[in-house]
Amino acid sequence: MPQWKDLLIEIEKIEKKYGSSLRNPASYTEIKKMNHNIQRKLGNIVLPESYIEFLRRINGLDFNGLVIYGVDEVLLDKEVDEDIHGFIETNELWHENDWQKRYIFFGDSDTAWYGYDLKESIYVELDKPSGTLIQSFESFDSMLIDALETILL
């Protein structure tokens, strides 16, 4: 099974064909600020180490209909040229619906949300917009790999 880092390399090759590139990584300071703001705005949430590793490699992804949230623009040390779907602001948006408060969202696509079910302590892919469970995952890594493989098909 490929690792998500290998899949990012494939996405980067495709981006280069079209004269584009992947986003820069988030800095240690930006991730630290994000963690502090998450505690303040979303509660006592501990981000998975592999999501932090993802951010250290690329600050969010927007490719072929899949969006993996990055560090919110207001927390970045310097301005960026493109819109970043920030982890905190996007979760605040989804949490406007009460039933969605049981999830921490890491990304979404045209047809699905990718997140963590706080009640069941499991990573999930949910149908968008019904919220019906499509599949569950043991880890953030396996959820991310599945999402990336889906858009590369």
Side-chain angles (χ1 to χ4, degrees):
M1 183 164 152
Q3 295 300 308
W4 60 261
K5 292 173 189 170
D6 299 329
L7 297 169
L8 276 183
I9 291 168
E10 291 304 309
I11 291 170
E12 190 167 31
K13 288 176 186 172
I14 295 166
E15 289 280 14
K16 280 184 180 169
K17 279 185 197 171
Y18 296 99
S20 192
S21 63
L22 296 179
R23 292 186 182 141
N24 290 326
S27 71
Y28 173 81
T29 314
E30 292 166 341
I31 293 169
K32 192 173 178 179
K33 283 193 277 187
M34 181 172 127
N35 265 317
H36 175 75
N37 277 279
I38 286 171
Q39 303 308 313
R40 234 172 18 93
K41 294 184 173 192
L42 299 175
N44 192 20
I45 293 162
V46 178
L47 295 175
E49 193 54 45
S50 49
Y51 176 60
I52 292 170
E53 190 182 338
F54 174 83
L55 294 175
R56 285 186 182 138
R57 189 170 194 115
I58 175 177
N59 185 24
L61 178 71
D62 190 343
F63 178 79
N64 202 20
L66 174 68
V67 175
I68 304 295
Y69 310 141
V71 175
D72 298 70
E73 285 185 56
V74 296
L75 302 174
L76 298 178
D77 296 332
K78 52 185 179 253
E79 280 189 37
V80 290
D81 290 347
E82 59 187 313
D83 286 340
I84 292 179
H85 298 268
F87 179 87
I88 297 169
E89 65 191 23
T90 309
N91 271 280
E92 285 179 324
L93 178 71
W94 296 137
H95 288 175
E96 288 176 5
N97 294 318
D98 277 344
W99 71 269
Q100 290 174 304
K101 289 180 181 172
R102 81 180 262 181
Y103 302 102
I104 296 302
F105 297 95
F106 291 96
D108 65 85
S109 69
D110 299 335
T111 59
W113 281 299
Y114 296 93
Y116 182 74
D117 185 330
L118 295 165
K119 214 180 259 185
E120 301 294 330
S121 300
I122 196 158
Y123 292 89
V124 294
E125 179 184 357
L126 303 172
D127 175 66
K128 194 176 180 184
S130 74
T132 305
L133 178 68
I134 296 172
Q135 61 181 325
S136 58
F137 305 93
E138 293 176 11
S139 66
F140 175 81
D141 278 350
S142 56
M143 178 180 70
L144 182 58
I145 290 166
D146 185 79
L148 295 174
E149 285 178 335
T150 300
I151 59 164
L152 283 168
L153 291 178

